[in-house]
Amino acid sequence: MKHFFLLLFLLGMAPPLPATDLLIEAESFKDKGGWRVDQQFMDIMGSPYLLAHGMGKPVKEAATTFHLPTADTYYIYVRAYNWTSPWVSGKGPGGFAVALDGRVVGTAGHYGQAWEWQRVGQSRLKAGNHRLALRDLQGFDGRCDAVFLTNRKDFIPPKDANAAWRDALNPVQTTTRNFDFVVVGGGVAGMCAAASAARLGLKTALVNDRPVWGGCNSSDIRVHLGGDIEVGRHPNLGKMICEFGPSREGNAQPAPYYEDEKKDSFLRSEPNITLLPNYHAVDVRKTGNKITDIVIQHIEDGSRIRLEAPLFADCTGDGTIGFKAGADYRMGREGKDEFYEEHAPERPDSMTMGASIQWYSVKGRENFPLFDNGIALNDENCDFVTRGEWTWETGMDRNQITDAEQIRDYGLMAVYCTWSWLKNHSARKAEYRNRKLAWVGYISGKRESRRLLGDYILSEEDIMKNVRHEDASFATTWSIDLHYPDSVNQRQFPGRAFKADTRHQVLSQPYDVPYRCLYSRNVDNLFMAGRDISVTHVALGTTRVMRTCGMAGEVVGMAAHLCRKHGTLPRGVYRHHLGDLKALMAKGAGRPDAVFNQGYNVWNPWSRTNK
């Protein structure tokens, strides 16, 4: 047989080598250089990706090694996205080069109109180990999902690059772990839910799809804590937040303001909490009306864990667990006739509050590149600013789930276009000569998406008329704060507004939210805390701020404890053990010596005199 193949080779008739397909997920690169792992859109596009978020300066290259079993000619594809293509035709600003063993084989990311496989070249490669690198060319948020190598000349990888295809090429094992309580979402609501339950003895898992805790109050997004604590019928609720809340307030401030390490220490001090950072929930299984387990996937190495528990809490903000479990939910605004809300529109619609991309500049010199993509600016319509806070808000007319990446990208584009105009074109550019961009967020600061429906839906009437409910729990004190497109910005940029305005309806006194808003009406073992609780769009205007969300989580943790203690479900706590819940809420789950250190009056958001 050996001589037969030798004869074929000498005659030029050697049999073809076996097919070799290799998929390298970009987020798994060993050395990510200056690229960032962006997991925000996994549910839509199926994977995290690497983002070259250089704010106009190319970031350090990302690199990894891979092994080829056979020498051959390999065809190289990159799954990339020309992210300004929804607004601008032609070459985009997100280009990057792909290098193999130090040699550039091609570029990607600056053409096309969707996430797609872009063939960057071919190369004759030896068997053995090779080095793969991504070299950012422009510093403007180029993105790479994966690199695919194949020795099949005419093979094109599947357009959707779905999970089944990825798993076939890179199979992963799923381990199983058991808990009393699983909390998904590591923002302030999830942190408080997990800590409250853990302090009452529950073996609790806390899952977060970012490496830092605190959600919008982390260095990822940089929003100050809003809302008041230690008020209402149960004034000991909220003291827990004093244990990890940052000592300084303010939006779009330097990273140390948000004290990520303080939040991490707070959680790690709880022996009953198992922390699972960098994991995203990808699947939910049910039996009947109960969730039996969820599957979480690591955002870098792709490993998966199945979490089994009798109780779950959705603190994701987007209501991801509830949605995957088939929970009833709403998005958008209710019509005025449904709940008789003064601030509701005449007819229901899909409008939501938007997502903010905050930014700031500092003193310093930079040569900021020209960025003229998508927004036509001049000295009449450009704001002469050095920072952008919550008002830089986009996506109110878009779906905050399915269009989330485009909403974020438009926010980035607005920042870059503005700064480029101020630095390069404006008649007042001399004022900006000695300023440089210091930080631009790339994680969206969301306000609203899905709202999971409970046994009660809180409305404006409840709050403004101070309707008293027997299951009153945490108190909301922030004004009914609803955001709308800024009228001036909307007129200047028709259909492309990127600024928001707000209208406040100040509360005359704290309002206690019913416990029935904190569990699903049709998924029997699912709690929720945060901005995805059971409220109308208008009522969300006051319940969505973070100290208030934290108290909701604290109550959920207490209710989870009672579920285990009495062998019941969330609804059963309301029906049969409400007295026990009231006793726990009266005591609170915070440490007695914790001190509230941020004076911020939430009855009147413009005053800072009352705690």
Side-chain angles (χ1 to χ4, degrees), residues 258-275:
Y258 304 93
E259 299 184 52
D260 293 342
E261 69 288 344
K262 187 175 181 181
K263 299 180 180 75
D264 189 68
S265 296
F266 164 79
L267 292 169
R268 292 187 184 280
S269 69
E270 297 295 336
N272 285 329
I273 297 181
T274 296
L275 296 178

PDB file of all heavy atoms in Angstrom, residues 258-275:
ATOM      1  N   TYR A 258     -16.106  54.682  41.083  1.00  0.00           N
ATOM      2  CA  TYR A 258     -17.143  53.645  41.176  1.00  0.00           C
ATOM      3  C   TYR A 258     -16.719  52.460  42.038  1.00  0.00           C
ATOM      4  O   TYR A 258     -17.518  51.570  42.292  1.00  0.00           O
ATOM      5  CB  TYR A 258     -17.573  53.239  39.761  1.00  0.00           C
ATOM      6  CG  TYR A 258     -18.023  54.484  39.019  1.00  0.00           C
ATOM      7  CD1 TYR A 258     -17.125  55.208  38.234  1.00  0.00           C
ATOM      8  CD2 TYR A 258     -19.293  55.001  39.203  1.00  0.00           C
ATOM      9  CE1 TYR A 258     -17.505  56.394  37.621  1.00  0.00           C
ATOM     10  CE2 TYR A 258     -19.685  56.186  38.593  1.00  0.00           C
ATOM     11  CZ  TYR A 258     -18.789  56.882  37.815  1.00  0.00           C
ATOM     12  OH  TYR A 258     -19.167  58.071  37.234  1.00  0.00           O
ATOM     13  N   GLU A 259     -15.488  52.452  42.491  1.00  0.00           N
ATOM     14  CA  GLU A 259     -14.989  51.532  43.511  1.00  0.00           C
ATOM     15  C   GLU A 259     -15.381  50.080  43.236  1.00  0.00           C
ATOM     16  O   GLU A 259     -15.984  49.397  44.063  1.00  0.00           O
ATOM     17  CB  GLU A 259     -15.483  51.986  44.892  1.00  0.00           C
ATOM     18  CG  GLU A 259     -14.994  53.389  45.266  1.00  0.00           C
ATOM     19  CD  GLU A 259     -15.387  53.803  46.670  1.00  0.00           C
ATOM     20  OE1 GLU A 259     -15.120  53.031  47.610  1.00  0.00           O
ATOM     21  OE2 GLU A 259     -15.959  54.903  46.837  1.00  0.00           O
ATOM     22  N   ASP A 260     -15.012  49.593  42.062  1.00  0.00           N
ATOM     23  CA  ASP A 260     -15.315  48.206  41.697  1.00  0.00           C
ATOM     24  C   ASP A 260     -14.795  47.223  42.734  1.00  0.00           C
ATOM     25  O   ASP A 260     -15.452  46.214  43.050  1.00  0.00           O
ATOM     26  CB  ASP A 260     -14.696  47.875  40.337  1.00  0.00           C
ATOM     27  CG  ASP A 260     -15.324  48.645  39.186  1.00  0.00           C
ATOM     28  OD1 ASP A 260     -16.447  49.166  39.357  1.00  0.00           O
ATOM     29  OD2 ASP A 260     -14.691  48.729  38.123  1.00  0.00           O
ATOM     30  N   GLU A 261     -13.602  47.498  43.263  1.00  0.00           N
ATOM     31  CA  GLU A 261     -13.005  46.556  44.216  1.00  0.00           C
ATOM     32  C   GLU A 261     -13.808  46.486  45.511  1.00  0.00           C
ATOM     33  O   GLU A 261     -13.840  45.442  46.191  1.00  0.00           O
ATOM     34  CB  GLU A 261     -11.550  46.948  44.506  1.00  0.00           C
ATOM     35  CG  GLU A 261     -11.355  48.244  45.301  1.00  0.00           C
ATOM     36  CD  GLU A 261     -11.655  49.512  44.548  1.00  0.00           C
ATOM     37  OE1 GLU A 261     -11.736  49.468  43.295  1.00  0.00           O
ATOM     38  OE2 GLU A 261     -11.815  50.576  45.198  1.00  0.00           O
ATOM     39  N   LYS A 262     -14.479  47.560  45.888  1.00  0.00           N
ATOM     40  CA  LYS A 262     -15.308  47.562  47.095  1.00  0.00           C
ATOM     41  C   LYS A 262     -16.504  46.636  46.919  1.00  0.00           C
ATOM     42  O   LYS A 262     -16.876  45.885  47.842  1.00  0.00           O
ATOM     43  CB  LYS A 262     -15.773  48.993  47.384  1.00  0.00           C
ATOM     44  CG  LYS A 262     -16.505  49.189  48.697  1.00  0.00           C
ATOM     45  CD  LYS A 262     -16.798  50.675  48.901  1.00  0.00           C
ATOM     46  CE  LYS A 262     -17.522  50.943  50.212  1.00  0.00           C
ATOM     47  NZ  LYS A 262     -17.809  52.395  50.371  1.00  0.00           N
ATOM     48  N   LYS A 263     -17.088  46.645  45.755  1.00  0.00           N
ATOM     49  CA  LYS A 263     -18.208  45.744  45.465  1.00  0.00           C
ATOM     50  C   LYS A 263     -17.746  44.289  45.466  1.00  0.00           C
ATOM     51  O   LYS A 263     -18.424  43.400  45.994  1.00  0.00           O
ATOM     52  CB  LYS A 263     -18.843  46.113  44.129  1.00  0.00           C
ATOM     53  CG  LYS A 263     -19.421  47.526  44.072  1.00  0.00           C
ATOM     54  CD  LYS A 263     -20.030  47.801  42.702  1.00  0.00           C
ATOM     55  CE  LYS A 263     -20.602  49.207  42.623  1.00  0.00           C
ATOM     56  NZ  LYS A 263     -19.557  50.244  42.506  1.00  0.00           N
ATOM     57  N   ASP A 264     -16.581  44.054  44.873  1.00  0.00           N
ATOM     58  CA  ASP A 264     -16.047  42.693  44.836  1.00  0.00           C
ATOM     59  C   ASP A 264     -15.769  42.179  46.249  1.00  0.00           C
ATOM     60  O   ASP A 264     -16.099  41.034  46.585  1.00  0.00           O
ATOM     61  CB  ASP A 264     -14.773  42.676  43.992  1.00  0.00           C
ATOM     62  CG  ASP A 264     -14.267  41.276  43.724  1.00  0.00           C
ATOM     63  OD1 ASP A 264     -14.947  40.537  42.989  1.00  0.00           O
ATOM     64  OD2 ASP A 264     -13.197  40.921  44.246  1.00  0.00           O
ATOM     65  N   SER A 265     -15.183  43.018  47.097  1.00  0.00           N
ATOM     66  CA  SER A 265     -14.893  42.610  48.479  1.00  0.00           C
ATOM     67  C   SER A 265     -16.180  42.337  49.251  1.00  0.00           C
ATOM     68  O   SER A 265     -16.231  41.388  50.056  1.00  0.00           O
ATOM     69  CB  SER A 265     -14.088  43.711  49.182  1.00  0.00           C
ATOM     70  OG  SER A 265     -12.825  43.877  48.575  1.00  0.00           O
ATOM     71  N   PHE A 266     -17.193  43.155  49.025  1.00  0.00           N
ATOM     72  CA  PHE A 266     -18.487  42.956  49.681  1.00  0.00           C
ATOM     73  C   PHE A 266     -19.039  41.561  49.373  1.00  0.00           C
ATOM     74  O   PHE A 266     -19.481  40.833  50.277  1.00  0.00           O
ATOM     75  CB  PHE A 266     -19.465  44.039  49.212  1.00  0.00           C
ATOM     76  CG  PHE A 266     -20.910  43.764  49.490  1.00  0.00           C
ATOM     77  CD1 PHE A 266     -21.444  43.969  50.757  1.00  0.00           C
ATOM     78  CD2 PHE A 266     -21.757  43.303  48.490  1.00  0.00           C
ATOM     79  CE1 PHE A 266     -22.792  43.721  51.015  1.00  0.00           C
ATOM     80  CE2 PHE A 266     -23.090  43.049  48.735  1.00  0.00           C
ATOM     81  CZ  PHE A 266     -23.607  43.259  50.006  1.00  0.00           C
ATOM     82  N   LEU A 267     -18.998  41.175  48.107  1.00  0.00           N
ATOM     83  CA  LEU A 267     -19.547  39.880  47.718  1.00  0.00           C
ATOM     84  C   LEU A 267     -18.667  38.726  48.194  1.00  0.00           C
ATOM     85  O   LEU A 267     -19.167  37.697  48.656  1.00  0.00           O
ATOM     86  CB  LEU A 267     -19.718  39.824  46.200  1.00  0.00           C
ATOM     87  CG  LEU A 267     -20.791  40.753  45.621  1.00  0.00           C
ATOM     88  CD1 LEU A 267     -20.694  40.809  44.101  1.00  0.00           C
ATOM     89  CD2 LEU A 267     -22.189  40.299  46.041  1.00  0.00           C
ATOM     90  N   ARG A 268     -17.365  38.896  48.110  1.00  0.00           N
ATOM     91  CA  ARG A 268     -16.468  37.803  48.493  1.00  0.00           C
ATOM     92  C   ARG A 268     -16.465  37.556  50.003  1.00  0.00           C
ATOM     93  O   ARG A 268     -16.040  36.490  50.449  1.00  0.00           O
ATOM     94  CB  ARG A 268     -15.048  38.084  47.987  1.00  0.00           C
ATOM     95  CG  ARG A 268     -14.949  38.026  46.478  1.00  0.00           C
ATOM     96  CD  ARG A 268     -13.536  38.123  45.952  1.00  0.00           C
ATOM     97  NE  ARG A 268     -13.537  38.159  44.492  1.00  0.00           N
ATOM     98  CZ  ARG A 268     -13.671  37.084  43.711  1.00  0.00           C
ATOM     99  NH1 ARG A 268     -13.789  35.886  44.266  1.00  0.00           N
ATOM    100  NH2 ARG A 268     -13.683  37.206  42.404  1.00  0.00           N
ATOM    101  N   SER A 269     -16.955  38.501  50.763  1.00  0.00           N
ATOM    102  CA  SER A 269     -17.010  38.312  52.213  1.00  0.00           C
ATOM    103  C   SER A 269     -18.179  37.428  52.635  1.00  0.00           C
ATOM    104  O   SER A 269     -18.271  37.051  53.807  1.00  0.00           O
ATOM    105  CB  SER A 269     -17.126  39.670  52.911  1.00  0.00           C
ATOM    106  OG  SER A 269     -18.392  40.268  52.658  1.00  0.00           O
ATOM    107  N   GLU A 270     -19.061  37.088  51.696  1.00  0.00           N
ATOM    108  CA  GLU A 270     -20.220  36.250  52.014  1.00  0.00           C
ATOM    109  C   GLU A 270     -19.910  34.784  51.712  1.00  0.00           C
ATOM    110  O   GLU A 270     -19.829  34.396  50.547  1.00  0.00           O
ATOM    111  CB  GLU A 270     -21.438  36.709  51.209  1.00  0.00           C
ATOM    112  CG  GLU A 270     -21.903  38.125  51.509  1.00  0.00           C
ATOM    113  CD  GLU A 270     -22.411  38.267  52.934  1.00  0.00           C
ATOM    114  OE1 GLU A 270     -22.832  37.260  53.534  1.00  0.00           O
ATOM    115  OE2 GLU A 270     -22.365  39.389  53.454  1.00  0.00           O
ATOM    116  N   PRO A 271     -19.769  33.950  52.729  1.00  0.00           N
ATOM    117  CA  PRO A 271     -19.367  32.553  52.479  1.00  0.00           C
ATOM    118  C   PRO A 271     -20.404  31.732  51.731  1.00  0.00           C
ATOM    119  O   PRO A 271     -20.057  30.717  51.121  1.00  0.00           O
ATOM    120  CB  PRO A 271     -19.131  31.999  53.894  1.00  0.00           C
ATOM    121  CG  PRO A 271     -19.910  32.901  54.804  1.00  0.00           C
ATOM    122  CD  PRO A 271     -19.873  34.250  54.171  1.00  0.00           C
ATOM    123  N   ASN A 272     -21.668  32.145  51.766  1.00  0.00           N
ATOM    124  CA  ASN A 272     -22.706  31.371  51.084  1.00  0.00           C
ATOM    125  C   ASN A 272     -22.915  31.767  49.632  1.00  0.00           C
ATOM    126  O   ASN A 272     -23.799  31.214  48.963  1.00  0.00           O
ATOM    127  CB  ASN A 272     -24.040  31.500  51.840  1.00  0.00           C
ATOM    128  CG  ASN A 272     -24.065  30.685  53.111  1.00  0.00           C
ATOM    129  OD1 ASN A 272     -23.435  29.632  53.192  1.00  0.00           O
ATOM    130  ND2 ASN A 272     -24.782  31.155  54.118  1.00  0.00           N
ATOM    131  N   ILE A 273     -22.140  32.729  49.136  1.00  0.00           N
ATOM    132  CA  ILE A 273     -22.273  33.130  47.731  1.00  0.00           C
ATOM    133  C   ILE A 273     -21.142  32.518  46.915  1.00  0.00           C
ATOM    134  O   ILE A 273     -19.966  32.637  47.265  1.00  0.00           O
ATOM    135  CB  ILE A 273     -22.240  34.660  47.566  1.00  0.00           C
ATOM    136  CG1 ILE A 273     -23.416  35.323  48.271  1.00  0.00           C
ATOM    137  CG2 ILE A 273     -22.280  35.032  46.079  1.00  0.00           C
ATOM    138  CD1 ILE A 273     -23.442  36.838  48.129  1.00  0.00           C
ATOM    139  N   THR A 274     -21.494  31.872  45.811  1.00  0.00           N
ATOM    140  CA  THR A 274     -20.529  31.448  44.800  1.00  0.00           C
ATOM    141  C   THR A 274     -20.601  32.452  43.662  1.00  0.00           C
ATOM    142  O   THR A 274     -21.637  32.610  43.019  1.00  0.00           O
ATOM    143  CB  THR A 274     -20.857  30.042  44.278  1.00  0.00           C
ATOM    144  OG1 THR A 274     -20.740  29.100  45.351  1.00  0.00           O
ATOM    145  CG2 THR A 274     -19.916  29.645  43.153  1.00  0.00           C
ATOM    146  N   LEU A 275     -19.490  33.148  43.432  1.00  0.00           N
ATOM    147  CA  LEU A 275     -19.454  34.172  42.401  1.00  0.00           C
ATOM    148  C   LEU A 275     -19.083  33.554  41.058  1.00  0.00           C
ATOM    149  O   LEU A 275     -18.117  32.793  40.956  1.00  0.00           O
ATOM    150  CB  LEU A 275     -18.442  35.252  42.764  1.00  0.00           C
ATOM    151  CG  LEU A 275     -18.749  36.062  44.031  1.00  0.00           C
ATOM    152  CD1 LEU A 275     -17.631  37.062  44.308  1.00  0.00           C
ATOM    153  CD2 LEU A 275     -20.086  36.783  43.905  1.00  0.00           C
TER     154      LEU A 275
END
